[in-house]
Amino acid sequence: MSNNNKIGWRFDNTYSKLPNSMLTKLPPTPVKAPELIVLNHSLSKMLGLDFTDVSDKNLASIFSGNLLPEGSDTIAQAYAGHQFGHFTLLGDGRAIIIGEHLSRNNKRFDIQFKGSGKTPYSRNGDGRAALGPMLREYIISEAMFGLGIPTTRSLAVVKTGEKVIRENALDGAVLTRVAESHIRVGTFQYTVIAEDKRDLKTLFDYTIDRHYPNIKDSKTPAIDLLKIVIEKQSKLIVDWMRVGFIHGVMNTDNMTISGETIDYGPCAFMDTYDPETVFSSIDENGRYAFFNQPGIAKWNLARFAECLVPLIAEDKNTGIKIATEIVNSFSEIYTKNWFEMMRNKLGLLGKETKDEKLIMDLLTWMHKNKADYTNTFCFLMNQNLEKNKIYDNQSFIAWEKQWQERLKTNNNSPEKSLKLMRLNNPLVIPRNHKVEEALESANSGDLNPAKNLLKILEKPYEGGKEVNKYQSPAPPSDKIYKTFCGT
Ligand code: AMP
Ligand code: MG
């Protein structure tokens, strides 16, 4: 491709060299009439890519997979996963990794097209994706990045010019996803049941080389890897809980070894505080409800630990014993990190015995009074621009008094606590009604609401004139907000 060097692609593909059992080499299926919908300029810059001299027509060809950059080596990855607790063989059923790009500082990123056609892992799917869900992933993943939460990112969305059949015929689209890697708990699960028993060790060595080279020479690399992934996932879930994010489909194939949030399907942000919040239409039992997320993360990590048992110790029982102890440490690590995060949200310095009660009392009050999760913290920071009567409430005022007292301890000052709170409490989140509004407009050809929303979400902790338009929860309606998988 002639523009290749000008754009700055630097492919250095390593995963495609792994055994054939772990992947399938195949190109994306070309699309009929690609049209660029959105391109992420700041991410391009971070990746060291420059698309300024590329015509919209060529951009559409590139990001639909019709025009592959030189140096790409296109693959679909095989993986397995526990979906809602049941083990299944999966794999990239509608995604193709075109290669690993090195940014200017030699950081490695998978460049993946999602919605790029059938693969041997498509099962009954059509390999395609619709515009709404791809734009939704773009908006929410970029919002997560803005919130400072580890996540895969979105580089572009193109319309394919083809229809995809869901409940209705919808505009087809391809999303370009950028990730530190796509290695999942499910990728390990796949190698464990592989015919060739060497695959597990191959993937293990590859993962350490790629993500955690500092433990390469360790005498106990499998133990180290398990501990690192537990630490990363516990931090990640705490971050989700901090901003009210509900992933919605925490299957083991949707948990990365890098610690990035991945697979934005039925995810959504909670507005009214309710620990049992579920948005996903298929999560009927609330397995992935807001407050179940840490428990499920631990369950998924146990599945990861099971894969590593043969690499932890030669004797199986010894391996299981060590792995179990490490997995059980998750609860303590998580709880410690969660309280720390909640103290930060409340601007508390140091650690006091009464903090736990103070925190739980606030959450209980919010739950009982159907308070908005994000806006309650905005209220405490005096950042809620609209007056809300909900806080003129006896028990809330009593709680606030105790909080004010606690704020005076440990050499704190109003400036210090406010600074800490402002770093930890977003003023804006991608509220469901705003996201839906943006997607509806995009579906009828107007991208401005999506672009405005993306702009606001770039700096969610900063105030500004436009912010208050995005702070209000959805107006009351009879409709319960529902999200969907695999669309
Ligand atoms: P997800 O719910 O996105 O984690 O997807 C679960 C599995 O279903 C993955 O293996 C996906 O690649 C696959 N999948 C989802 N949608 C489709 C589709 N339209 N065509 C083929 N495979 C799909
Ligand atoms: Mg998935």
Side-chain angles (χ1 to χ4, degrees):
M1 192 186 117
S2 58
N3 274 325
N4 211 38
N5 287 340
K6 266 194 172 164
I7 292 172
W9 290 115
R10 288 172 66 210
F11 285 108
D12 176 41
N13 307 318
T14 55
Y15 202 94
S16 61
K17 299 191 177 80
L18 293 182
N20 282 336
S21 51
M22 292 165 64
L23 55 105
T24 301
K25 292 202 179 201
L26 86 165
T29 311
V31 308
K32 218 173 169 177
E35 181 193 333
L36 183 73
I37 296 298
V38 54
L39 174 63
N40 191 334
H41 295 285
S42 63
L43 177 57
S44 306
K45 208 164 160 200
M46 189 276 273
L47 292 169
L49 297 172
D50 182 0
F51 294 104
T52 42
D53 289 339
V54 187
S55 67
D56 274 6
K57 187 162 173 278
N58 270 350
L59 287 174
S61 299
I62 294 168
F63 289 113
S64 60
N66 281 8
L67 181 63
L68 285 170
E70 214 175 272
S72 60
D73 193 6
T74 52
I75 61 164
Q77 290 180 338
Y79 51 85
H82 276 90
Q83 297 189 300
F84 291 88
H86 304 285
F87 187 77
T88 326
L89 283 179
L90 297 162
D92 292 328
R94 55 166 172 174
I96 297 282
I97 294 173
I98 65 163
E100 294 151 37
H101 166 75
L102 300 180
S103 69
R104 287 210 185 95
N105 58 3
N106 287 329
K107 224 181 141 183
R108 183 177 299 271
F109 295 95
D110 276 2
I111 308 291
Q112 189 197 59
F113 294 148
K114 186 169 172 182
S116 54
K118 279 192 192 172
T119 77
Y121 315 107
S122 297
R123 298 176 295 162
N124 295 321
D126 60 1
R128 290 299 186 190
L131 176 63
M134 292 305 100
L135 201 50
R136 192 168 188 280
E137 169 154 350
Y138 188 111
I139 292 170
I140 302 200
S141 64
E142 287 305 301
M144 291 292 266
F145 177 75
L147 287 162
I149 299 175
T151 178
T152 64
R153 297 195 62 188
S154 299
L155 183 58
V157 175
V158 294
K159 266 197 334 197
T160 58
E162 295 169 10
K163 290 286 178 197
V164 294
I165 308 302
R166 299 294 179 256
E167 257 173 39
N168 302 311
L170 302 170
D171 284 333
V174 174
L175 169 84
T176 303
R177 177 156 78 180
V178 178
E180 282 184 14
S181 88
H182 285 82
I183 305 170
R184 310 143 189 267
V185 168
T187 321
F188 276 83
Q189 290 181 294
Y190 186 86
T191 61
V192 170
I193 56 154
E195 229 166 78
D196 191 334
K197 290 298 160 212
R198 289 170 300 183
D199 284 1
L200 170 65
K201 182 69 166 61
T202 305
L203 178 67
F204 175 76
D205 290 340
Y206 178 86
T207 303
I208 287 181
D209 274 341
R210 182 156 174 181
H211 290 295
Y212 307 111
N214 54 321
I215 59 168
K216 202 173 159 62
D217 297 323
S218 160
K219 290 203 175 71
T220 54
I223 291 177
D224 296 0
L225 180 65
L226 182 57
K227 284 185 178 167
I228 292 172
V229 175
I230 286 179
E231 183 71 37
K232 288 218 163 194
Q233 286 295 334
S234 91
K235 286 212 168 107
L236 183 67
I237 309 296
V238 165
D239 258 339
W240 292 358
M241 304 305 275
R242 175 170 64 84
V243 299
F245 176 78
I246 301 166
H247 184 283
V249 61
M250 288 177 71
N251 296 331
T252 55
D253 56 297
N254 294 338
M255 180 183 259
T256 60
I257 304 303
S258 68
E260 288 183 330
T261 310
I262 195 169
D263 239 327
Y264 292 87
C267 63
F269 283 72
M270 171 176 69
D271 30 31
T272 304
Y273 178 72
D274 180 351
E276 288 177 22
T277 306
V278 172
F279 292 112
S280 171
S281 56
I282 59 165
D283 191 2
E284 282 162 6
N285 300 316
R287 180 179 167 92
Y288 300 138
F290 182 64
F291 239 61
N292 280 352
Q293 296 189 122
I296 288 292
K298 183 179 172 187
W299 192 89
N300 289 347
L301 289 163
R303 306 290 78 74
F304 181 50
E306 279 165 8
C307 299
L308 295 180
V309 164
L311 303 171
I312 288 177
E314 257 171 49
D315 172 58
K316 194 174 168 188
N317 287 331
T318 312
I320 291 174
K321 191 166 170 281
I322 296 172
T324 308
E325 268 169 32
I326 300 172
V327 171
N328 283 339
S329 72
F330 176 87
S331 312
E332 201 179 308
I333 297 172
Y334 173 81
T335 307
K336 183 179 149 283
N337 289 342
W338 184 80
F339 275 115
E340 181 74 42
M341 172 278 282
M342 289 303 290
R343 271 197 292 270
N344 291 342
K345 274 178 91 69
L346 288 172
L348 308 180
L349 292 193
K351 197 171 155 186
E352 298 295 327
T353 23
K354 281 189 187 154
D355 292 350
E356 293 192 7
K357 185 169 182 314
L358 190 71
I359 291 164
M360 298 319 287
D361 282 353
L362 175 64
L363 291 176
T364 307
W365 181 86
M366 283 165 66
H367 188 196
K368 229 166 140 181
N369 291 276
K370 299 189 167 48
D372 185 272
Y373 185 62
T374 304
N375 286 354
T376 298
F377 293 95
C378 290
F379 177 83
L380 294 174
M381 300 188 298
N382 284 322
Q383 288 294 326
N384 204 347
L385 304 171
E386 263 174 47
K387 276 265 164 277
N388 193 331
K389 283 202 290 283
I390 195 175
Y391 304 108
D392 294 337
N393 164 293
Q394 286 285 316
S395 44
F396 183 77
I397 293 166
W399 177 87
E400 233 186 334
K401 228 170 136 191
Q402 287 183 18
W403 173 58
Q404 293 288 356
E405 280 307 309
R406 167 62 177 91
L407 279 179
K408 290 179 193 153
T409 56
N410 297 333
N411 225 354
N412 208 342
S413 68
E415 294 75 36
K416 275 196 224 167
S417 58
L418 186 60
K419 195 172 163 204
L420 186 59
M421 291 175 82
R422 289 296 302 266
L423 288 172
N424 287 281
N425 296 307
L427 305 183
V428 276
I429 50 165
R431 291 192 181 267
N432 301 323
H433 65 292
K434 284 291 176 193
V435 174
E436 287 310 308
E437 202 178 282
L439 298 183
E440 249 172 57
S441 298
N443 275 325
S444 42
D446 177 10
L447 280 159
N448 284 323
K451 289 192 171 160
N452 293 340
L453 179 60
L454 281 163
K455 187 94 207 121
I456 287 288
L457 293 170
E458 271 176 24
K459 296 193 164 88
Y461 302 98
E462 286 178 22
K465 263 204 305 210
E466 296 293 303
V467 160
N468 61 338
K469 290 190 203 151
Y470 295 86
Q471 284 188 303
S472 309
S477 111
D478 305 336
K479 243 174 66 193
I480 296 169
Y481 188 69
K482 282 270 165 240
T483 55
F484 302 91
C485 276
T487 43

